[in-house]
Amino acid sequence: MTADKEAKYLTEEEQQKLLEKYDPEAGTRKLTGILGYIVFFGLLAFSLFQLYTAVFGVFTAQIQRTVHLGFALSLIFLLFPAKRKKRRKERLQVAWYDIILAILSIGIGAYWPLFFEDLVMSIGRLNTLDFAVGLTAILLVLEATRRTVGMPIMVIALLFILYGLFGSYMPGFLSHRGLTLERMVQTMFFTTEGILGTPLAVSSTFIFLFLLFGSFLIRTGVGQYFNDLSIAIAGRSIGGPAKVAIFSSALQGTISGSSVANVVTSGAFTIPMMKNLGYKKEFAGAVEASASTGGQLMPPIMGAAAFLMVEFIGNGITYWDIAKAAIIPAILYFSGIWIMTHFEAKRLGLRGLTKEEMPSRKEVFGKIYLLIPIIAIVVLLMSNITVTHAALYSILISIIVGFINKDAGMKVMDIVYALVDGARTALAVAAATAAAGIIVGIVTKTGLGLKLANGLIDLAGGYLIPTLMLTMVAALVLGMGSPTTANYVITSTIAAPAMILLGVPDLSAHLFVFYFGIIADITPPVALAAFAAAGVSGGEPIKTGVESAKLAIAAFIIPYIFVLSPEMLMINTTGIETVWVVFTAMTGMIAIGAGVIGYWVRSMHWVERILAAIVGLLLIYPETISDIVGLVTFAVLLVLQYVQKKDKGGKDTSNRNLERTN
């Protein structure tokens, strides 16, 4: 066995370069002087506006959303240059046209507050100024989206606009009467069905506050504590650093909405540890990528799309209902990665960290109070208070904890910096949700959603499984080129209705597209989180992506299971039934993990691997007969593993030529 001895840990500068390469949100200008102050206080004002409306109540929908949009667009044009290659320069003067675009954005944000009564009384009739402002808003949103989250989502939104304008020329069931340009502009900016629709509504309320909460958690030192706690819990076990990466990334994912950012910040610490221990570069990168990507699947804070899900599903569903339903799938996802890294470590004969390499457990567990904000938000979300107040109280608690934590050395100015950082992370989300609103508006006005849902069902022959497979492919393809938020909006508007028409519960259908939109980040050929991990590990990007997809195999299986059997989402189940579902599913993940890695108690023949995978699927599917057959077969396989572990000479006979090199 060979290993990369003393693998290099990335410097902060190297981490930033990786972020800029794979994450469009990371490549902002480094402004100084007057413009630097303008942006700093603009971001601060953005956060203060959001906190004010959270405490004293939001304004009328159009005013709340346009002010939010105006803040975001103006700051985007000052911070994000038109050409990405310029972003790495330490200092970059803002181009003259970006200043003009920022001023126009301020005008967009002020238009509804200034002319609210006139616009309401006009009843949809636009004058020349209204038309110019609305058209400008559409163009600014498209350009801001391109700069912050990339070209694909901007192109998709533009294609939907063209479909709305020229739908009368479309063939077959896609044809519609077509919208005039004036009607298009009126829908997009002067109703709450377009840019100012539900996605931006959620961004301007819930999402912003939870991003702010994450920013305060980082300032309190919780991010670093997650790493220390992970090492204290898992460091000494077999293949300890890989398990540290899983545990740490799952926790980090609760405060980070970006898979790539999670990979780079957490992976800069965990990937070199894994390489030093003896894991291959690609496998080390894959562990970090799959775990970091899964952070958005982990309750209680599941990323921006989960808040959109509350609004899109409606019917009285709460955020806690979604978080509760996602608990078992999330446990299975991370358990699958944990199990496979354990079997890989056993296969390679890798050790855990030595006592000297471990932090003091007494000191680590002595700071367990740093988790109070996370615990608080779970309790608050379970209570009857609003999501907005849950976020506000959690922010306040995190500030108190930050002052208690002497290592963080939190001061009053850290509160200001946290407000600025939180607003900065919200910019890309605001742009993406505004662009998603364009798509939703076109779908609503043209009836495209129902048409595509029926078309999808017809293409699948009216059968559920083929419909699920087509939906999965659509979500993965969209997810390769767009952020989770926009991906979810598109697939939940177009694909989820097809599943619902076939009798799938609303929550199951929406979680299905949510899952596949997220794991697109580790699905080749475009797997940004895996590619970022390869940048840290020095491994081959495509191989890292393939390994990531293997480790995250649970995410490709579980959505089908909870659609076919909603018991996994704790829908209409008792406590005993839930415990049984978790037990059988976890047992199934052990079998699948062994089959994928090719090692259990000993190395496995290919026939055993296939059989183990089948047994795992039987156990994960929550049905009595499949559970009984799966458990019996699981027991037989396990006994055979022990019986055949060694021959009379004490050697492993299952695979004498097992390779233990990298």
Side-chain angles (χ1 to χ4, degrees):
M1 178 179 68
T2 62
D4 292 328
K5 297 300 181 184
E6 300 300 326
K8 180 184 175 184
Y9 289 83
L10 296 186
T11 63
E12 288 188 12
E13 183 179 352
E14 290 170 329
Q15 292 178 41
Q16 183 60 30
K17 286 182 178 180
L18 267 179
L19 278 173
E20 291 176 9
K21 183 176 180 180
Y22 294 107
D23 188 356
E25 299 176 30
T28 57
R29 289 170 169 139
K30 308 296 186 295
L31 296 176
T32 58
I34 294 176
L35 282 174
Y37 283 113
I38 289 174
V39 169
F40 181 87
F41 286 108
L43 291 167
L44 180 60
F46 193 8
S47 284
L48 292 176
F49 166 76
Q50 295 293 155
L51 287 174
Y52 175 85
T53 57
V55 173
F56 297 104
V58 298
F59 294 104
T60 303
Q62 293 91 335
I63 294 176
Q64 176 78 20
R65 298 170 196 180
T66 47
V67 172
H68 179 82
L69 181 66
F71 266 118
L73 293 180
S74 59
L75 291 164
I76 284 170
F77 290 120
L78 293 177
L79 280 170
F80 292 82
K83 294 183 179 180
R84 185 171 176 176
K85 64 182 180 181
K86 294 182 179 179
R87 294 179 181 174
R88 293 186 181 180
K89 295 182 180 180
E90 282 299 310
R91 295 183 181 182
L92 180 64
Q93 190 67 29
V94 177
W96 62 268
Y97 52 82
D98 282 340
I99 294 177
I100 292 175
L101 293 177
I103 293 171
L104 288 174
S105 299
I106 294 172
I108 296 299
Y111 199 72
W112 264 102
L114 289 175
F115 302 103
F116 180 77
E117 290 186 7
D118 293 338
L119 291 171
V120 170
M121 296 301 294
S122 67
I123 317 176
R125 294 188 298 271
L126 305 184
N127 59 35
T128 303
L129 180 60
D130 294 338
F131 178 80
V133 169
L135 184 60
T136 302
I138 294 172
L139 296 175
L140 290 175
V141 166
L142 292 174
E143 173 60 10
T145 303
R146 183 191 68 82
R147 294 191 186 195
T148 53
V149 295
M151 183 70 78
I153 184 61
M154 187 273 281
V155 171
I156 292 170
L158 186 59
L159 289 175
F160 271 83
I161 289 175
L162 294 175
Y163 173 76
L165 292 172
F166 304 106
S168 59
Y169 299 100
M170 296 297 290
F173 72 90
L174 292 176
S175 178
H176 67 91
R177 291 172 56 187
L179 302 174
T180 64
L181 183 58
E182 183 177 353
R183 184 69 183 278
M184 171 74 70
V185 170
Q186 192 266 339
T187 300
M188 288 298 109
F189 192 68
F190 295 98
T191 72
T192 54
E193 295 179 350
I195 291 172
L196 306 183
T198 298
L200 191 66
V202 178
S203 174
S204 65
T205 50
F206 309 141
I207 294 176
F208 191 99
L209 291 177
F210 275 84
L211 292 174
L212 207 55
F213 173 58
S215 178
F216 274 98
L217 282 181
I218 293 171
R219 287 282 169 181
T220 59
V222 172
Q224 179 57 46
Y225 182 70
F226 284 159
N227 288 334
D228 295 339
L229 181 63
S230 302
I231 295 175
I233 292 174
R236 294 296 299 273
S237 61
I238 295 173
K243 295 172 182 176
V244 168
I246 298 166
F247 194 72
S248 174
S249 297
L251 293 172
Q252 292 280 6
T254 64
I255 61 174
S256 169
S258 169
S259 302
V260 174
N262 200 358
V263 165
V264 174
T265 53
S266 181
F269 168 72
T270 59
I271 290 175
M273 274 205 311
M274 286 186 271
K275 288 170 63 181
N276 285 335
L277 190 67
Y279 283 106
K280 291 187 295 183
K281 295 176 181 178
E282 288 77 15
F283 191 86
V287 170
E288 180 59 49
S290 56
S292 291
T293 299
Q296 294 183 70
L297 304 173
M298 175 62 71
I301 307 171
M302 300 168 56
F307 295 98
L308 285 169
M309 202 180 299
V310 175
E311 301 298 321
F312 275 45
I313 296 176
N315 298 325
I317 195 168
T318 65
Y319 182 81
W320 176 245
D321 293 329
I322 293 172
K324 184 180 72 172
I327 289 173
I328 294 177
I331 290 173
L332 294 180
Y333 178 86
F334 283 102
S335 296
I337 302 172
W338 184 289
I339 288 163
M340 281 184 264
T341 56
H342 177 78
F343 287 147
E344 178 72 1
K346 288 182 66 177
R347 188 179 74 84
L348 296 174
L350 303 181
R351 63 171 177 84
L353 297 176
T354 63
K355 186 176 181 180
E356 291 72 26
E357 295 170 319
M358 293 281 291
S360 169
R361 289 192 174 184
K362 183 178 180 180
E363 291 182 8
V364 171
F365 289 112
K367 295 180 181 178
I368 199 72
Y369 63 86
L370 290 175
L371 297 182
I372 290 175
I374 301 291
I375 297 170
I377 202 165
V378 174
V379 174
L380 290 168
L381 287 172
M382 291 173 63
S383 66
N384 292 324
I385 70 170
T386 64
V387 174
T388 300
H389 285 130
L392 279 174
Y393 296 148
S394 299
I395 289 171
L396 181 60
I397 292 170
S398 66
I399 293 173
I400 295 171
V401 169
F403 281 113
I404 294 173
N405 182 19
K406 295 180 181 179
D407 291 340
M410 193 169 182
K411 300 179 179 64
V412 174
M413 276 306 296
D414 287 309
I415 297 176
V416 175
Y417 291 135
L419 292 170
V420 170
D421 292 342
R424 192 187 300 269
T425 59
L427 297 180
V429 175
T433 50
I438 292 175
I439 296 167
V440 174
I442 297 298
V443 169
T444 303
K445 278 294 178 185
T446 61
L448 180 63
L450 186 58
K451 292 176 181 178
L452 285 179
N454 288 323
L456 191 63
I457 292 172
D458 290 341
L459 186 62
Y463 295 103
L464 179 58
I465 295 297
T467 301
L468 294 178
M469 295 178 70
L470 290 172
T471 302
M472 175 190 73
V473 172
L476 288 174
V477 171
L478 284 169
M480 291 175 186
S482 61
T484 306
T485 308
N487 183 334
Y488 168 73
V489 170
I490 298 169
T491 51
S492 64
T493 304
I494 294 173
M499 291 185 279
I500 293 169
L501 285 174
L502 292 174
V504 176
D506 288 9
L507 184 54
S508 298
H510 282 262
L511 279 174
F512 185 90
V513 298
F514 175 70
Y515 253 70
F516 284 112
I518 287 174
I519 61 172
D521 277 349
I522 51 172
T523 304
V526 183
L528 292 181
F531 289 0
V536 178
S537 70
E540 206 282 314
I542 292 295
K543 288 183 179 178
T544 303
V546 172
E547 290 288 343
S548 299
K550 284 170 57 180
L551 288 173
I553 192 170
F556 292 91
I557 298 171
I558 292 169
Y560 286 90
I561 303 300
F562 63 58
V563 164
L564 296 172
S565 188
E567 292 88 348
M568 184 171 284
L569 301 181
M570 290 190 277
I571 297 176
N572 299 324
T573 57
T574 64
I576 295 175
E577 289 172 338
T578 300
V579 171
W580 180 252
V581 167
V582 173
F583 168 72
T584 55
M586 287 286 288
T587 307
M589 284 312 307
I590 293 173
I592 288 176
V596 170
I597 297 299
Y599 193 96
W600 198 345
V601 177
R602 56 170 174 80
S603 55
M604 302 174 73
H605 189 272
W606 66 269
V607 174
E608 293 177 298
R609 295 177 68 173
I610 293 174
L611 185 58
I614 294 172
V615 168
L617 291 174
L618 288 172
L619 287 168
I620 290 175
Y621 185 72
E623 197 271 333
T624 304
I625 296 177
S626 66
D627 286 346
I628 293 171
V629 173
L631 285 171
V632 171
T633 313
F634 180 93
V636 171
L637 278 175
L638 185 58
V639 169
L640 288 175
Q641 283 277 303
Y642 276 105
V643 169
Q644 298 178 6
K645 183 179 180 182
K646 294 181 180 296
D647 62 7
K648 294 180 181 178
K651 297 180 180 179
D652 188 341
T653 61
S654 57
N655 188 353
R656 296 179 187 275
N657 297 317
L658 177 65
E659 294 183 2
R660 293 193 175 184
T661 66
N662 291 326

